[in-house]
Amino acid sequence: MNTETFRQHVLPVSVIVLAAILFWYCLTIGLNAPGAIARVLPKNGHWGYGDFVLTTLNMARPVLPAPHQILLDIWHSLTQWSLSSPRNLLLHTWVTASAALTGFSMGVVLGLLLAVCIVHSQTLDKALLPWIVASQTVPVLAIAPIVLIILGSLGITGLLPKAVIAMYLCFFPVTVAMVQGLRSPQKLEMELLHTYATGKLDTFWLLRLPASLPFLFPAFRVAIASGLVGTMVAELPTGAQAGLGARLLTGSYYGNTIQIWSALVMASLLGLLLTALVSLLERIVMRTRRTV
């Protein structure tokens, strides 16, 4: 790494991260101060400023846990419990990731099919697109119990109901982006293919689909993040025994804010990982497209 790269990229990011961590610690002291004074520190007032700061940053039941408490909780969860233990966060992360990826796959397939139908049929364009937009006005918190009840009455439980709710959030950005991408070829390009007497199927594979790729991958990144949120929301009303959403719910029941924040941090890391995988796939596909 040369000096210029460090100055332009590493240094600004490091300064922002350090500032955010410092702000977090200050906020932790401020929010935990009333509880520390009321429950932990001696009532006679024989404590100094150092005792006060250490107490607020190391409370067992803090209002806001300090960053090092969250990291220690994650470390203990990963190193002191087996992968099959419900106390291991990797188990919960895998359960949530599997449902989110299943829902993302279902949402991508549904979104692509809807987009193709909308682009090739004016009737479906007028009939479907308004309902697709309207579907996203219903909060996922409202629709999740409905989906779970309907699928539960059909005997469908486990991963699939969570994947369906993730699909509900995933298909919309894929549909909108794919419609825009399939319609992006210029009139001159379309007429050029028509001069070769190409059919709709050849026009789709040779022109429309390649032109839609730059629109599609940003939508995938939005969809995978939305699918993760939908999966965690779906884990809340199901009373699931595993999953990051279930971990959040358990932490809220027992007032364990450190557990809640640990699950949130793992969810954030999972979201970053899934988004990075989509970006990697985008690089591979776009590089292959340029070399063809």
Side-chain angles (χ1 to χ4, degrees):
M1 183 188 305
N2 56 40
T3 308
E4 191 66 19
T5 303
F6 178 81
R7 190 176 64 82
Q8 290 187 357
H9 300 285
V10 178
L11 185 60
V13 174
S14 302
V15 170
I16 291 173
V17 170
L18 288 175
I21 293 174
L22 181 62
F23 176 73
W24 190 333
Y25 272 107
C26 294
L27 195 61
T28 302
I29 295 172
L31 291 176
N32 294 339
I37 295 171
R39 301 195 304 270
V40 183
L41 291 170
K43 304 294 183 185
N44 54 17
H46 291 166
W47 44 269
Y49 182 73
D51 299 326
F52 169 74
V53 172
L54 287 176
T55 302
T56 55
L57 296 181
N58 295 284
M59 292 181 65
R61 300 277 181 179
V63 175
L64 177 65
H68 69 272
Q69 289 180 293
I70 299 170
L71 294 177
L72 281 175
D73 185 66
I74 294 174
W75 176 254
H76 290 157
S77 171
L78 300 183
T79 58
Q80 296 185 357
W81 302 97
S82 66
L83 284 176
S84 59
S85 170
R87 292 179 180 272
N88 193 311
L89 275 171
L90 281 182
L91 171 69
H92 299 283
T93 304
W94 166 247
V95 171
T96 300
S98 57
L101 287 172
T102 305
F104 172 72
S105 303
M106 294 163 61
V108 168
V109 172
L110 178 61
L112 295 180
L113 289 176
L114 287 173
V116 171
C117 293
I118 288 170
V119 168
H120 289 91
S121 170
Q122 289 188 354
T123 303
L124 292 178
D125 183 12
K126 295 178 181 177
L128 288 179
L129 201 53
W131 289 106
I132 291 172
V133 175
S135 70
Q136 299 303 303
T137 62
V138 182
V140 66
L141 277 174
I143 205 168
I146 298 172
V147 173
L148 295 174
I149 290 171
I150 293 174
L151 294 180
S153 67
L154 299 175
I156 301 173
T157 58
L159 181 143
L160 192 57
K162 295 187 289 184
V164 169
I165 294 169
M167 179 191 70
Y168 168 75
L169 294 179
C170 287
F171 88 95
F172 177 72
V174 175
T175 304
V176 173
M178 191 65 178
V179 167
Q180 188 179 3
L182 292 176
R183 287 174 173 167
S184 63
Q186 300 296 316
K187 186 177 180 181
L188 185 62
E189 298 170 316
M190 298 293 292
E191 289 179 348
L192 178 63
L193 284 183
H194 288 163
T195 60
Y196 291 104
T198 53
K200 285 188 175 181
L201 186 60
D202 290 330
T203 303
F204 177 82
W205 286 112
L206 296 174
L207 182 59
R208 288 188 185 274
L209 184 59
S212 69
L213 294 179
F215 297 85
L216 201 54
F217 283 102
F220 282 172
R221 286 195 288 273
V222 175
I224 193 70
S226 301
L228 178 59
V229 173
T231 303
M232 292 180 64
V233 170
E235 289 170 344
L236 298 177
T238 57
Q241 299 299 315
L244 292 174
R247 187 80 172 170
L248 288 174
L249 195 61
T250 306
S252 67
Y253 280 155
Y254 296 101
N256 191 340
T257 52
I258 298 176
Q259 178 178 319
I260 294 173
W261 278 93
S262 299
L264 287 176
V265 170
M266 291 300 287
S268 302
L269 294 176
L270 177 60
L272 288 174
L273 175 63
L274 295 177
T275 306
L277 290 176
V278 173
S279 298
L280 178 63
L281 178 64
E282 179 183 11
R283 285 190 179 187
I284 295 172
V285 171
M286 299 306 286
R287 187 177 300 171
T288 306
R289 179 192 174 199
R290 281 193 291 268
T291 56
V292 172

